[in-house]
Amino acid sequence: MGKDATLQVRMDADMKERAELLYKRLGTSFAEGVRMFAAQSLEDNAMPFTLHLSARDSGQRIGVAAGKIHIPDDPDFCNDEISELFGM
């Protein structure tokens, strides 16, 4: 499979420099690291790592962590409503 597509990503210059140094120390390039990330994502059909909140609180949140979505303590909490909605 040839490399015939280009991906452009904007990021902080310091982050890019640090990532390039890290991947160089690992014996590869940042670009190859991105290709490995994509390949592993496709292999796993998921992100190749577990998403979690850092012990270091940056204050930045998205989705569930921002409180925009409420997940009930009881995962079966809405089963009756869902069954009714889908005519089950």
Side-chain angles (χ1 to χ4, degrees):
M1 189 180 312
K3 296 175 187 168
D4 57 0
T6 301
L7 171 68
Q8 290 184 329
V9 178
R10 295 208 179 275
M11 68 174 54
D12 178 78
D14 180 60
M15 178 190 294
K16 179 180 180 279
E17 185 178 327
R18 290 176 27 224
E20 286 173 337
L21 277 170
L22 170 64
Y23 281 91
K24 185 176 182 178
R25 290 190 347 235
L26 292 170
T28 190
S29 68
F30 188 27
E32 187 59 31
V34 171
R35 284 189 285 276
M36 288 187 287
F37 175 90
Q40 192 63 51
S41 295
L42 293 172
E43 179 70 25
D44 296 344
N45 198 31
M47 291 274 201
F49 51 81
T50 303
L51 297 174
H52 63 277
L53 296 178
S54 172
R56 183 182 65 208
D57 187 1
S58 68
Q60 297 177 331
R61 301 280 189 271
I62 61 172
V64 174
K68 294 180 182 174
I69 302 170
H70 172 70
I71 299 175
D73 293 329
D74 177 9
D76 296 323
F77 175 76
C78 299
N79 282 356
D80 292 337
E81 294 171 10
I82 292 170
S83 294
E84 189 175 304
L85 180 66
F86 289 101
M88 300 168 86

